[in-house]
Amino acid sequence: MVKTGKAYGKSSEMDSRKMQVIGLCRFSYPALGGFQVEHESPAARAAFLYDPVRMEERFATFETLTLPPLRAQTDSDFTLLIVVGTAMPEALLARLLDLVEDMPQAVVVARTPGRHRQVMREVINAARTETGLPSLQFRMDDDDAVACNFVERLREAAADLAPLITKHRYVGIDFNQGFIARITPEGIRAKPTTETLWTSALGMAVAPGASRGIMNFSHAKLSRVMPVVALPGEDMFIRGHNEFNDSRQKDGIRPVGLPPLDAAGEAQFRDLFNIDADHVRRVMAPGTRNT
């Protein structure tokens, strides 16, 4: 059971506008553990992760789906830790650095293969500053997205939940409404969904001095070990579907039918996520990727 108890003063003393917001994204990091599909060795995992076809799809999704809403956050005061492996080929690392060069919030962190939760804890804790306030943390895969107001709404939720946050080291904040989407040469295919404890817009308030962070808990089991508040009613995430989803590689996983967005749907994605279907079509057009 996760240790609870007050770690700081009264809820009235907390100002969520002063809380540090930290996001973490694994970009093809060959961790030991942390994947649903296992490999025999770190080298075998790296070979799978850095496969040219897979990486082209990953870069296309990261460029067109993941990064645009992060660049357009209504609250730009956050840090995005992008964790990569030290064995990532130089050309791929250079390509990634080029993609985030104009994004001051992005910090690319290279780590050797290690136990997943331990490495992620070290990466997040190294980025934390001692403010005397909780940090607000979120996690995302490199094919997911959050709404343009996600950081702003995370701070607002923390302010609303201040009495609860003062009593627990960890409190989950689950924005559970959004979309499943896939990018294609024809544009975006998507459908709305409401799901509990998906990672895409799942946040956590972490008490100052707490040793663990959002990557140290199984997201699907979060409510077993800490209070979790679900916040429905607003579209806050996109869960990307593609050929290389780790969670969809096992036998018996049924494909999800995703209809193409019409003009109104494309406009909605531009407004909510700063995602441009024309940009998707350009990046995904035949001959533009090194497949």
Side-chain angles (χ1 to χ4, degrees):
M1 186 66 178
V2 175
K3 185 186 294 185
T4 61
K6 292 183 179 179
Y8 33 86
K10 300 176 182 179
S11 60
S12 60
E13 298 172 352
M14 289 199 304
D15 184 348
S16 65
R17 294 170 298 179
K18 298 179 181 179
M19 293 179 184
Q20 185 183 15
V21 177
I22 304 172
L24 188 142
C25 176
R26 299 171 303 174
F27 193 88
S28 299
Y29 169 69
L32 305 178
F35 289 84
Q36 295 188 36
V37 177
E38 295 299 330
H39 297 88
E40 294 181 357
S41 66
R45 175 158 292 169
F48 166 77
L49 293 175
Y50 300 143
D51 174 81
V53 175
R54 180 185 181 280
M55 290 308 302
E56 285 302 321
E57 184 177 69
R58 233 52 183 178
F59 270 106
T61 307
F62 198 59
E63 176 183 345
T64 63
L65 206 72
T66 304
L67 289 180
L70 291 171
R71 286 195 176 97
Q73 286 296 303
T74 54
D75 182 339
S76 61
D77 185 13
F78 67 96
T79 298
L80 179 71
L81 305 170
I82 304 173
V83 183
V84 302
T86 53
M88 174 177 272
E90 290 186 9
L92 296 178
L93 178 59
R95 185 174 175 182
L96 175 62
L97 292 172
D98 285 345
L99 271 182
V100 299
E101 184 178 14
D102 63 345
M103 188 176 170
Q105 299 89 349
V107 180
V108 177
V109 181
R111 287 289 185 270
T112 56
R115 299 304 306 176
H116 173 253
R117 291 187 178 183
Q118 178 181 339
V119 172
M120 297 306 125
R121 175 168 60 187
E122 292 171 355
V123 169
I124 288 181
N125 285 346
R128 289 170 65 179
T129 58
E130 291 302 325
T131 64
L133 294 170
S135 61
L136 300 177
Q137 301 179 11
F138 65 97
R139 58 183 290 179
M140 60 193 312
D141 290 336
D142 55 13
D143 56 356
D144 294 338
V146 293
C148 292
N149 64 338
F150 172 72
V151 173
E152 178 184 355
R153 289 290 294 116
L154 188 60
R155 290 190 194 276
E156 290 175 353
D160 294 340
L161 298 172
L164 184 65
I165 291 173
T166 60
K167 297 178 181 179
H168 300 272
R169 286 185 183 272
Y170 308 97
V171 175
I173 302 172
D174 182 20
F175 294 96
N176 62 7
Q177 181 175 307
F179 297 88
I180 301 170
R182 181 186 186 106
I183 60 172
T184 74
E186 291 73 38
I188 303 168
R189 305 180 72 93
K191 75 170 188 176
T193 188
T194 300
E195 298 288 345
T196 301
L197 296 176
W198 274 12
T199 58
S200 311
L202 178 63
M204 183 186 293
V206 178
S211 62
R212 289 180 284 181
I214 192 167
M215 297 297 291
N216 296 116
F217 301 93
S218 169
H219 64 90
K221 300 177 181 178
L222 214 61
S223 58
R224 298 184 186 183
V225 295
M226 69 184 69
V228 177
V229 177
L231 298 173
E234 54 186 323
D235 294 317
M236 198 56 67
F237 69 81
I238 295 173
R239 176 71 180 104
H241 271 212
N242 53 68
E243 297 298 330
F244 294 97
N245 287 118
D246 177 58
S247 61
R248 303 191 60 79
Q249 294 300 308
K250 295 183 178 180
D251 294 336
I253 302 296
R254 299 179 62 183
V256 177
L258 300 175
L261 292 181
D262 58 14
E266 291 184 355
Q268 183 183 27
F269 266 49
R270 283 194 299 271
D271 292 342
L272 291 177
F273 301 105
N274 190 39
I275 291 172
D276 184 352
D278 287 335
H279 182 207
V280 169
R281 283 185 276 266
R282 287 193 298 272
V283 169
M284 295 293 290
T288 61
R289 296 188 294 156
N290 299 321
T291 53

